């Protein structure tokens, strides 16, 4: 059987189970007596073991089996949770992650796990475990001693007897060391079906598939074969320890309606459990290759461009039938657009999930007591943004934990709780997602940052005098700080943070800092919901058309040229009680003059904002709102000032998309 087709599914599902195990282990450290958490971990480990075994990764399956044995002892209260056991299980999970990564990269999924296996074996109590297995098996055999059939099965058996079939009850016991019980049970079923027809199993097929049974299971088989042949064939299946075959005569068959009330209750309960199991495992979602989603988005982007062209043609033609059809198509395509964009949206939880483990390990390494509080993990972002945001957040978290939070002794001396707290928050705001990394540490030392910036030539002494606190804190994003020799020079903040800022800005986002000495720091990240289709305002500058993203626009106003003043060589206007500097786009982009005459008595000004700062973009006219598809300008036209990309309008004209953030320093 070719298993290569299932490899990608195995890797994805293995990662899901490993993430679930990591999450539950962190909960277990906080609630060591909660057996439901141990059961969740056990189930994930059990499934992972079965998948690895069926795919032929025996080392991975064996290591998971050893970890599963320890978990089994914990959930049966035969072991008490200790730091040593938790560290061993975490270490085991790390090895399994390495093995899965090896498989993903085309390797054999093997690692040197001798030490960790030895450690797990030392933790286990083999005699106790063996006793528990034997007890479970004996209980299972006792329960399965008398299979109960319903009326339909009773009728089938009677008809089968007329054609020479006999009814056999078969009890199969698997080897104690069997790693994949459900796989072995499936192989037994395959052999049994070649010998006859399976009428019933105990436990149910669903429970056997989930390995929710001991070491044995029973089945009723209709067959014309001899009893000895059936026993021999089934006993030949690998890892089958014992096969007991007995013939059931007509008088021995127990009908469901003849069973007393308690049995009926148990039988109905089994059916309910089976139904619940089916419901639980009936997935309403499918995995879709990312490339297919990207291709779908590209095709839809072209559809948006053609939609704009049709709308323009309909307006010019004046044909009511065409206009109505285009309007209907616009409504449908808008709904389709929302659906396509939602398909690409994934919760930031996919990124946040790995951070609790990162914080736990780093806290132990630094000998600090730290609590990570995650809020808003369900907040959704475009997949493209999600793929890129992970590394910057890792850097910010390591920075906060390593250099922001004090040691337990320092916190006590400052009358703080010796356990530091890092908050990781995500929430929606308009067309943006905001992520905050907050710590309650010592904050940023303003004077040290300023002196370091002057020393490295990032700013001059004169410039430093006029800077606000926020502007000083923002200096730690300068590339000059990444070469700091001693972390303590600036409390460690700023080492490599220029890379974080560059990555955030490449995603169309903004990062800023607030800090209070002695109380902590907040890193604010603002990101666009999607990078593909954006709402924009089309404007004219001379004969050229530009698109300004709606998310940046505060207001559009018209003013008289007489209201424009000069302030230190900068043209400004008074707008709603504040001074707003003006940027003339025809000067910035060197737009050639055209013969079109615009209203010179009024200036169209688009007020845009970045954080708390505003700027007015002076244009010649405003065309109106339109959804545009953001297209890259390619490798030859990168790093253009204040241009984030281009789009194709309905009339085939190319319009540049303005990045207004670059006008605001």
């Amino acid at each position: 059987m070719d298993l290569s087709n299932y490899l990608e599914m195995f890797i994805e599902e293995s990662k899901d189970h490993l993430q679930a195990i990591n999450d539950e282990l962190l909960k277990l450290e906080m609630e060591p007596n909660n057996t439901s958490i141990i059961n969740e971990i056990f189930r994930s480990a059990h499934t992972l073991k079965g998948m690895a075994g069926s795919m032929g990764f025996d080392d991975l399956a064996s290591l998971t089996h050893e970890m599963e044995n320890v978990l089994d002892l914990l959930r049966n209260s035969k072991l008490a949770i200790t730091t040593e056991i938790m560290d061993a299980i975490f270490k085991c999970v790390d090895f399994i992650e390495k093995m899965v990564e090896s498989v993903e990269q085309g390797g054999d999924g093997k690692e040197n796990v001798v030490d960790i296996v030895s450690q797990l074996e030392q933790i286990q109590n083999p005699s106790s475990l063996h006793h528990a297995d034997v007890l479970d098996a004996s209980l299972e055999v006792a329960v399965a001693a008398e299979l109960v059939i319903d009326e339909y099965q009773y009728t089938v058996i009677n008809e089968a007897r007329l054609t020479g079939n006999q009814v056999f009850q078969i009890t199969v016991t698997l080897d104690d060391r069997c790693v994949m019980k459900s796989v072995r049970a499936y192989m037994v079923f395959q052999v049994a079906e070649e010998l006859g027809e399976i009428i019933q199993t105990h436990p149910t097929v669903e429970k056997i598939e989930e390995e929710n049974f001991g070491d044995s299971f029973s089945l009723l088989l209709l067959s014309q074969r001899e009893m000895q042949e059936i026993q021999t064939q089934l006993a030949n299946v690998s890892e089958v320890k014992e096969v007991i075959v007995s013939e059931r005569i007509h008088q021995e068959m127990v009908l469901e309606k003849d069973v007393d009330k308690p049995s009926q209750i148990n039988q109905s309960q089994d059916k309910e459990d089976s139904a619940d199991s089916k419901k639980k495992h009936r997935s309403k979602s499918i995995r879709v290759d990312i490339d297919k989603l990207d291709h779908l988005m590209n095709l839809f982007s072209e559809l948006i461009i053609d939609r704009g062209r049709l709308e323009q043609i309909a307006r010019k033609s004046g044909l009511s039938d065409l206009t109505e059809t285009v309007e209907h198509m616009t409504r449908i395509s808008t709904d389709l657009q929302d659906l396509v964009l939602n398909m690409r949206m994934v919760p930031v939880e996919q990124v946040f999930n790995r951070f609790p483990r990162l914080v736990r390990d780093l806290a132990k390494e630094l000998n600090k007591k730290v609590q990570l509080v995650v809020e808003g993990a369900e907040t959704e972002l475009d997949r493209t943004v999600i793929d890129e945001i992970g590394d910057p957040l890792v850097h910010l978290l390591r920075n906060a934990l390593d250099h922001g939070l004090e040691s337990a002794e320092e916190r006590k001396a400052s009358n703080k709780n010796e356990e530091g707290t890092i908050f990781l928050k995500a929430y929606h705001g308009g067309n943006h997602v905001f992520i905050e990394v907050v710590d309650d540490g010592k904050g940023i030392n303003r004077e040290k940052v300023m002196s370091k910036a002057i020393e490295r030539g990032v700013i001059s002494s004169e410039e430093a005098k006029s800077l606000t606190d926020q502007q000083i804190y923002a200096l730690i994003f300068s590339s000059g700080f990444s070469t700091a020799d001693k972390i303590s020079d600036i409390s460690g903040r700023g080492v490599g943070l220029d890379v974080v800022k560059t990555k955030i800005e490449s995603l169309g986002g903004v990062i800023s800092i607030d800090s209070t000495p002695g109380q902590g720091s907040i890193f604010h990240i603002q990101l666009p919901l999607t990078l593909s289709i954006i709402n924009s305002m089309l404007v004219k500058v001379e004969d050229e058309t530009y698109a300004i993203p709606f998310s940046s626009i505060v207001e559009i106003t018209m003013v008289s040229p007489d209201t424009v003043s000069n302030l230190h060589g900068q043209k400004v206007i008074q707008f709603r009680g504040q001074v707003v500097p003006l940027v003339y786009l025809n000067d910035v982009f060197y737009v050639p003059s055209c013969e079109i005459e615009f209203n010179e008595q009024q200036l169209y000004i688009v007020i845009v904002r970045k954080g708390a700062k505003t700027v007015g973009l002076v244009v010649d006219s405003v065309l109106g709102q339109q959804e545009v598809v953001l297209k890259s300008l390619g490798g030859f036209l990168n790093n253009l000032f204040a241009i984030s990309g281009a789009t194709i309008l309905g009339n085939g004209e190319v319009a540049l998309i303005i990045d207004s953030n670059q006008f605001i320093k």
Side-chain angles (χ1 to χ4, degrees):
M1 181 180 176
D2 183 14
L3 297 174
S4 59
N5 295 330
Y6 303 100
L7 187 60
E8 188 174 338
M9 187 185 300
F10 165 74
I11 292 168
E12 289 298 321
E13 292 192 3
S14 295
K15 287 180 178 179
D16 290 344
H17 285 298
L18 285 168
Q19 185 60 60
I21 291 172
N22 260 320
D23 292 345
E24 296 300 325
L25 283 172
L26 291 167
K27 291 180 189 175
L28 187 60
E29 274 195 319
M30 306 298 292
E31 304 175 55
N33 297 321
N34 192 334
T35 53
S36 65
I37 296 176
I38 302 175
N39 287 330
E40 285 295 325
I41 299 170
F42 183 87
R43 277 192 284 271
S44 290
H46 202 71
T47 306
L48 185 58
K49 177 191 72 175
M51 291 194 309
S54 61
M55 291 295 292
F57 301 117
D58 296 333
D59 285 9
L60 205 162
S62 299
L63 178 59
T64 313
H65 183 61
E66 292 296 334
M67 181 177 77
E68 186 185 43
N69 286 341
V70 174
L71 292 168
D72 193 42
L73 294 176
L74 291 172
R75 71 175 183 161
N76 289 315
S77 302
K78 293 182 172 66
L79 274 180
I81 292 175
T82 63
T83 304
E84 179 196 359
I85 290 176
M86 291 302 300
D87 288 344
I89 297 175
F90 271 121
K91 188 176 178 183
C92 186
V93 172
D94 289 341
F95 271 109
I96 295 171
E97 284 179 342
K98 287 180 182 177
M99 289 173 159
V100 173
E101 284 175 13
S102 169
V103 172
E104 187 177 19
Q105 293 165 9
D108 55 7
K110 294 183 182 294
E111 287 284 335
N112 183 3
V113 295
V114 176
D115 292 341
I116 184 61
V117 168
S118 174
Q119 191 177 352
L120 291 171
E121 286 174 348
Q122 286 175 10
I123 291 171
Q124 296 172 44
N125 185 337
S127 61
S128 219
L129 179 62
H130 177 70
H131 176 71
D133 287 343
V134 170
L135 183 62
D136 287 346
S138 62
L139 284 172
E140 202 64 60
V141 171
V143 171
E146 190 172 54
L147 292 178
V148 180
I149 60 173
D150 59 27
E151 288 189 18
Y152 171 73
Q153 291 168 338
Y154 188 79
T155 305
V156 171
I157 290 170
N158 284 338
E159 290 180 358
R161 286 182 191 278
L162 297 176
T163 58
N165 284 280
Q166 294 172 296
V167 184
F168 298 100
Q169 177 168 327
I170 304 168
T171 302
V172 180
T173 304
L174 301 176
D175 193 283
D176 298 343
R177 293 165 295 180
C178 178
V179 176
M180 299 166 290
K181 293 189 290 184
S182 63
V183 176
R184 294 303 170 201
Y186 175 72
M187 293 171 70
V188 169
F189 289 159
Q190 274 193 317
V191 174
E193 284 172 347
E194 290 174 4
L195 298 170
E197 181 183 353
I198 298 173
I199 296 297
Q200 193 183 25
T201 67
H202 183 87
T204 61
V205 174
E206 288 80 10
K207 288 188 176 182
I208 292 174
E209 286 176 350
E210 297 167 17
E211 296 197 10
N212 190 9
F213 66 102
D215 287 334
S216 66
F217 57 92
S218 299
L219 54 96
L220 278 182
L221 181 72
L222 282 176
S223 178
Q224 295 179 346
R225 306 291 182 95
E226 294 295 327
M227 186 188 302
Q228 186 60 43
E229 182 186 356
I230 294 172
Q231 186 170 17
T232 304
Q233 293 274 15
L234 295 177
N236 286 334
V237 176
S238 177
E239 292 190 306
V240 169
K241 183 178 180 180
E242 184 181 32
V243 178
I244 300 172
V245 183
S246 59
E247 186 179 354
R248 299 290 295 275
I249 61 176
H250 184 74
Q251 288 79 6
E252 292 177 340
M253 304 306 295
V254 183
L255 263 175
E256 190 175 36
K257 65 181 180 180
D258 298 329
V259 182
D260 58 8
K261 285 291 181 185
S263 296
Q264 287 182 343
I265 293 169
N266 290 335
Q267 189 76 4
S268 64
Q269 186 64 44
D270 281 344
K271 287 184 177 179
E272 285 176 15
D273 290 345
S274 173
D276 288 344
S277 176
K278 286 180 181 177
K279 287 177 186 174
K280 182 179 178 182
H281 288 83
R282 189 179 293 125
S283 175
K284 292 184 179 179
S285 62
I286 59 170
R287 293 180 185 273
V288 180
D289 190 271
I290 287 172
D291 291 336
K292 290 182 179 178
L293 281 181
D294 288 342
H295 185 53
L296 177 62
M297 177 56 77
N298 289 335
L299 290 175
F300 188 75
S301 298
E302 296 301 321
L303 184 63
I304 292 290
I305 293 168
D306 289 338
R307 184 183 76 183
R309 175 70 174 146
L310 275 173
E311 288 172 345
Q312 193 172 32
I313 292 171
R315 281 195 299 269
K316 287 182 178 178
S317 68
L319 297 173
S320 60
D321 288 348
L322 178 59
T323 303
E324 287 176 10
T325 304
V326 170
E327 285 176 354
H328 180 68
M329 193 197 81
T330 301
R331 287 194 297 273
I332 297 297
S333 60
T334 300
D335 291 341
L336 181 60
Q337 175 182 324
D338 292 339
L339 183 62
V340 171
L341 289 176
N342 283 331
M343 285 170 62
R344 292 172 55 89
M345 302 292 275
V346 290
V348 293
E349 182 180 19
Q350 291 195 10
V351 180
F352 285 9
N353 274 344
R354 56 181 164 136
F355 296 147
R357 177 69 193 280
L358 172 89
V359 170
R360 174 203 180 264
D361 292 346
L362 192 57
K364 290 196 76 170
E365 184 182 330
L366 296 171
N367 196 26
K368 292 182 179 180
K369 294 182 179 180
V370 182
Q371 180 187 12
L372 176 66
V373 179
V374 176
E375 298 177 3
E378 70 284 353
T379 306
E380 291 188 331
L381 254 177
D382 189 279
R383 182 199 63 79
T384 311
V385 183
I386 287 283
D387 289 347
E388 301 292 336
I389 195 62
D391 289 342
L393 287 178
V394 167
H395 200 108
L396 291 177
L397 283 171
R398 290 181 65 90
N399 221 33
L401 205 151
D402 196 4
H403 312 305
L405 292 178
E406 313 94 327
S407 65
E409 293 76 17
E410 289 175 321
R411 292 181 68 85
K412 278 184 179 179
S414 304
N415 294 321
K416 289 183 177 181
N417 188 334
E418 64 178 19
E419 182 181 67
T421 306
I422 297 176
F423 290 92
L424 184 58
K425 305 177 183 179
Y427 54 92
H428 278 122
N431 288 323
H432 290 88
V433 166
F434 296 88
I435 298 176
E436 294 180 355
V437 179
V438 186
D439 68 67
D440 65 347
K442 56 194 170 190
I444 300 174
N445 189 313
R446 183 184 188 280
E447 297 305 319
K448 284 188 177 180
V449 172
M450 188 165 62
S451 61
K452 197 69 180 178
I454 294 170
E455 177 190 326
R456 294 193 174 277
V458 178
I459 57 171
S460 66
S461 301
E462 290 300 315
E463 289 173 326
K465 293 176 183 177
S466 61
L467 294 180
T468 63
D469 287 349
Q470 274 67 33
Q471 289 171 325
I472 297 257
Y473 299 148
L475 292 174
I476 68 174
F477 291 120
S478 303
S479 59
F481 282 93
S482 62
T483 56
D485 296 322
K486 293 182 180 179
I487 285 174
S488 59
D489 283 347
I490 53 167
S491 301
R493 297 193 181 268
V495 183
L497 286 178
D498 60 314
V499 179
V500 174
K501 185 185 180 192
T502 302
K503 174 60 74 175
I504 298 297
E505 290 183 344
S506 72
L507 296 171
V510 181
I511 184 168
S512 60
I513 309 171
D514 283 324
S515 183
T516 304
Q519 295 182 24
S521 305
I522 305 174
F523 285 76
H524 303 272
I525 299 173
Q526 177 183 316
L527 294 165
L529 271 178
T530 178
L531 302 179
S532 306
I533 299 173
I534 57 175
N535 274 317
S536 66
M537 181 63 71
L538 298 183
V539 298
K540 274 282 187 184
V541 179
E542 299 293 349
D543 197 27
E544 294 183 4
T545 306
Y546 292 87
I548 303 173
F550 245 50
S551 56
S552 303
I553 298 175
V554 178
E555 192 172 339
I556 299 174
T557 186
M558 292 176 64
V559 300
S560 167
D562 299 336
T563 61
V564 178
S565 309
N566 270 298
L567 185 65
H568 303 296
Q570 169 70 55
K571 291 185 177 181
V572 298
I573 59 168
Q574 283 279 348
F575 181 75
R576 301 200 186 281
Q578 64 175 342
V579 177
V580 177
L582 299 180
V583 174
Y584 288 76
L585 293 184
N586 56 350
D587 293 337
V588 173
F589 296 133
Y590 302 102
V591 182
S593 300
C594 66
E595 297 178 359
I596 301 174
E597 292 187 6
F598 296 101
N599 184 1
E600 296 182 357
Q601 303 302 315
Q602 295 288 336
L603 291 178
Y604 282 95
I605 299 178
V606 182
I607 309 291
V608 293
R609 172 182 289 158
K610 175 186 176 184
K613 298 180 180 178
T614 54
V615 158
L617 305 182
V618 181
V619 299
D620 292 323
S621 66
V622 176
L623 301 181
Q625 177 186 353
Q626 185 171 323
E627 284 180 331
V628 297
V629 179
L630 181 62
K631 297 279 188 180
S632 170
L633 292 173
F636 294 106
L637 291 173
N638 53 6
N639 297 324
L640 289 180
F641 175 71
I643 298 295
S644 58
T647 188
I648 303 172
L649 303 177
N651 58 4
E653 181 185 351
V654 174
L656 295 176
I657 299 173
I658 292 174
D659 179 6
S660 59
N661 289 333
Q662 296 191 38
F663 292 122
I664 305 172
K665 303 297 184 183

